[in-house]
Amino acid sequence: MLIFSTAASLSLLPFSAGTGQGIDVYLSTNAMAYAENNSAYQIIKGKEGTYHGSESAFTFNEAALGTRFNQVSFSLISRYDWFLGFSKDTMELYGTTVNGTLIQPDKRYDLYLKTNHIKSDGFRLGYQYDFRQSIKFYGAASYLKAKELMVGETSGWASLTGNCGDDFECYSGEVNLSYTYTEDKLFDRVTDAPQSEYGYSFDVGADWQISKHWLASVYVQDVFSEILWHESPFTDAKATTATSQIEDGKIKINPVITGHEGNRDFKQKLPIKYNALIGYSFDGHATYMRGFRAYDTTLLQFGYQYQSGAAQYRVKVYPELWALGLEYQGSMFNVAVTSDSFDYQKSALLEIKLGLSIPIY
């Protein structure tokens, strides 16, 4: 019995799905931030510092308050998705912009940026089905009411062409951009922020107890989703050759902007998040390998878990980042922290999980 309990604890299915009988009330908070080869805090906050060439950054946060009855769970949820995908030249140019310094002379920067941000509240209904003694399926549907939106793409080029006189450096370039938003953070357009009419998302997952010792688990979040916005503001624009000036000791770029602003109905898709795990358990011990794929990013982790009674203690590592994680899960409470630095402001990867589950019956 202990062997099967240890293997089952490796499952990726939400703990709120439940595997036993009875009624539970639960509270959970999950937060994850990642910036490839950079400080996640620095990029998200736009702080001055050292920026390295990279291609993605994201944060995903979710809080849930709900109840589970046997195999059915219902929860109130609050979510925040924030994703940026970009070229290495774009990150280098962004770093010089934040720091107020000049880019390399006589170099053409090929620029590309895509973004998908959303903040939403709603509720989720989940169900776990025991297909066989060794196979379990999980499905969930969420209704979402979104409050913040920014989706779009930018592409183009930029370069530093030389001195323009009066100690000014000349920039040249061209950028095409198209984005939809609730708040115009690029050009400060004054507009009424829209509310989403409705939104929905579906999650699926499965556990397979392959043998006495082996377990495989998969969980796919937002496998299908759609958020409908009514008359959302948008901007389609082109920024051409820029001038620059020195302000407060820093270089400021002033591009020439042409384009079109308006409002339109818009359907937003959430990035799909893939999780897969294979684990081996023996006499209260377990080892596993887990993969995560989302936001143009793939992360691999290896872990070890020890179970003593109802308590599980887990250590995990992301080898590419040398990020270390520690997790404790008891019969009612669980907590987890993962980071690649003791200083959270320097972390490229930061995960925090808190959960409380109270059995009622």
Side-chain angles (χ1 to χ4, degrees):
M1 179 62 70
L2 179 61
I3 292 176
F4 285 96
S5 176
T6 304
S9 66
L10 296 176
S11 170
L12 296 176
L13 303 185
F15 75 90
S16 55
T19 55
Q21 302 299 310
I23 301 175
D24 296 334
V25 174
Y26 60 86
L27 172 67
S28 67
T29 300
N30 300 317
M32 182 178 186
Y34 171 76
E36 181 190 359
N37 204 28
N38 286 282
S39 160
Y41 175 86
Q42 186 173 286
I43 291 179
I44 294 172
K45 295 295 185 179
K47 298 291 185 178
E48 293 184 25
T50 302
Y51 287 86
H52 305 282
S54 59
E55 296 181 331
S56 65
F58 70 85
T59 181
F60 174 67
N61 309 286
E62 179 178 295
L65 173 63
T67 183
R68 177 192 64 83
F69 175 67
N70 294 338
Q71 310 304 104
V72 179
S73 63
F74 175 84
S75 58
L76 302 176
I77 58 175
S78 180
R79 295 181 48 170
Y80 179 55
D81 286 80
W82 182 96
F83 162 69
L84 290 175
F86 39 81
S87 65
K88 293 183 178 180
D89 282 355
T90 303
M91 173 53 67
E92 186 175 341
L93 181 62
Y94 173 74
T96 63
T97 301
V98 172
N99 294 324
T101 57
L102 290 172
I103 61 177
Q104 296 182 31
D106 302 321
K107 175 182 176 179
R108 177 188 170 102
Y109 287 76
D110 294 319
L111 307 178
Y112 175 73
L113 172 69
K114 65 177 177 179
T115 180
N116 192 344
H117 301 174
I118 184 172
K119 185 176 182 180
S120 61
D121 299 320
F123 62 84
R124 176 183 294 133
L125 181 64
Y127 179 73
Q128 182 171 290
Y129 173 64
D130 297 340
F131 177 66
R132 294 178 181 175
Q133 186 177 3
S134 61
I135 299 178
K136 303 179 185 298
F137 292 107
Y138 172 76
S142 300
Y143 173 83
L144 301 172
K145 189 71 173 179
K147 296 179 291 185
E148 294 182 11
L149 156 75
M150 180 174 284
V151 176
E153 290 193 26
T154 300
S155 61
W157 62 275
S159 64
L160 186 65
T161 57
N163 193 292
C164 301
D166 295 329
D167 295 324
F168 288 121
E169 298 288 342
C170 278
Y171 283 84
S172 63
E174 181 176 293
V175 175
N176 296 296
L177 58 92
S178 177
Y179 67 109
T180 305
Y181 47 84
T182 50
E183 180 184 357
D184 188 355
K185 296 184 178 182
L186 291 180
F187 305 126
D188 296 324
R189 174 188 173 192
V190 178
T191 183
D192 294 329
Q195 292 286 329
S196 64
E197 292 192 338
Y198 66 87
Y200 53 84
S201 172
F202 296 95
D203 309 331
V204 295
D207 284 346
W208 179 24
Q209 188 74 54
I210 303 172
S211 67
K212 182 179 180 180
H213 296 284
W214 287 95
L215 171 79
S217 183
V218 294
Y219 178 52
V220 184
Q221 190 171 7
D222 301 321
V223 65
F224 182 77
S225 64
E226 187 173 275
I227 313 294
L228 179 63
W229 297 85
H230 177 65
E231 290 296 301
S232 177
F234 74 93
T235 297
D236 294 328
K238 175 183 289 188
T240 55
T241 300
T243 58
S244 55
Q245 62 185 27
I246 299 176
E247 185 176 305
D248 297 327
K250 296 182 179 180
I251 301 293
K252 300 293 183 180
I253 302 173
N254 297 315
V256 178
I257 308 296
T258 59
H260 176 68
E261 297 175 336
N263 296 74
R264 61 190 173 197
D265 292 343
F266 180 72
K267 290 182 180 180
Q268 183 180 11
K269 302 288 186 181
L270 300 176
I272 301 175
K273 303 160 191 66
Y274 301 92
N275 292 271
L277 177 147
I278 183 74
Y280 180 82
S281 61
F282 54 98
D283 299 330
H285 304 269
T287 58
Y288 70 88
M289 179 177 67
R290 177 177 176 179
F292 169 82
R293 172 67 184 175
Y295 309 103
D296 292 347
T297 301
T298 300
L299 297 174
L300 182 67
Q301 68 172 259
F302 296 92
Y304 163 78
Q305 177 179 288
Y306 171 69
Q307 180 164 342
S308 176
Q312 290 123 30
Y313 307 88
R314 181 179 298 180
V315 178
K316 61 183 178 182
V317 62
Y318 290 85
E320 185 176 355
L321 303 168
W322 288 111
L324 179 67
L326 301 175
E327 183 172 354
Y328 166 80
Q329 182 168 333
S331 59
M332 296 176 57
F333 178 74
N334 74 291
V335 59
V337 177
T338 303
S339 179
D340 61 315
S341 173
F342 288 108
D343 184 350
Y344 75 95
Q345 294 188 10
K346 297 180 180 180
S347 296
L349 174 68
L350 181 64
E351 287 182 285
I352 299 175
K353 296 182 180 181
L354 293 171
L356 178 65
S357 180
I358 303 174
I360 302 300
Y361 172 73

